[in-house]
Amino acid sequence: MTIERTRTILKDLERTLLRFMRKHKITHEEYRRATDILVATVKAGEESLLYDVFFEAEATDIANIGRQGGVEAVEGPFYLPDAPKLEAPYVLPQRSDEADDVLFLRGCVMSADGTPLAGVELDMWQADAAGHYSNIHPNMPEWNLRARFHSGSDGTFEVRTIVPPPYEIPKGGPTGAVLSALGRHFFRPAHLHLKIRHPEYSELTSQLYFEGGDYLDSDVANAVREGLVTPLVRQDDPKELAARGRQKPYFEVRYDFMLVPLHAGDVRRRA
Ligand code: MBD
Ligand code: FE
């Protein structure tokens, strides 16, 4: 981001907001109410939650225009770098009695021409059965349901985790207060977050949703996009259960990630 672009954007933002204030005859009390809300989000530990709910999907839609490879998804407010690296067979860090159904996510990472890519880093994070993210919400083990792992020599990967529930924005905080004032509900559909990385390819931020799940059509963050919604398949075949050492039926999701070479990605970004 050049200083020229920063200046252009800031000037237009200022002009736009001043015009908006004049149009609505914003009072001093209303103005202070707005700045108080922004300050309160930080104090409540909601950090970018308010902005991500209202504006992040627009930025990813803009990034997806003319983009090759997989659909870019919102990162959301809860990504943290440097998650633990796993050894195969991959299991996301979790409590011994981690609640909710077991989920196996598997697939292949490939380049846009279908060539499988080995040694790709998958950096995954998700909510637990209570809808909480580790290292953000209190009383959870560090790095719970967050980890990095790799695609194998044939480009495939498999990781065991749990099926997350829909995510509910905290009702008691400033983001919840804004949603209440608008008369909106507080939910995002259940989802898995992943960042897919390879030194020679453009990093892809993805997010997977489950077909038939609640709130797919009314995501409070309006971030569900075609190509990110996958079938959640229940597996109860005794042979399959035995092969995986599972006592109870589990779920499976298959998803392939497509990366574009760094060079092509850069050209797209400059265009
Ligand atoms: C989330 O978990 C999330 O992924 C987004 C985009 C916004 C709020 C909470
Ligand atoms: Fe999320």
Side-chain angles (χ1 to χ4, degrees), residues 229-241:
V229 186
T230 67
L232 180 65
V233 180
R234 189 172 183 271
Q235 182 58 262
D236 57 8
D237 181 341
K239 264 190 260 141
E240 296 289 333
L241 291 180

Side-chain angles (χ1 to χ4, degrees), residues 75-78 125-127 133 167 188 191 193 207:
E75 175 181 84
F78 303 136
W125 72 106
Q126 66 171 93
Y133 286 83
Y167 174 81
R188 298 211 63 225
H191 58 274
H193 293 275
Q207 189 170 155

Side-chain angles (χ1 to χ4, degrees), residues 48-54 56-57 73-79 125-127 131 133 137 167-170 175 186 188-189 191-193 207 209 219-223:
S48 67
L49 179 66
L50 178 68
Y51 309 104
D52 292 355
V53 163
F54 284 90
E56 195 183 6
V74 294
E75 175 181 84
F78 303 136
Y79 172 68
W125 72 106
Q126 66 171 93
Y133 286 83
H137 297 97
Y167 174 81
E168 186 178 20
I169 308 283
T175 307
F186 301 84
R188 298 211 63 225
H191 58 274
L192 306 170
H193 293 275
Q207 189 170 155
Y209 305 93
D219 177 7
V220 66
N222 185 30

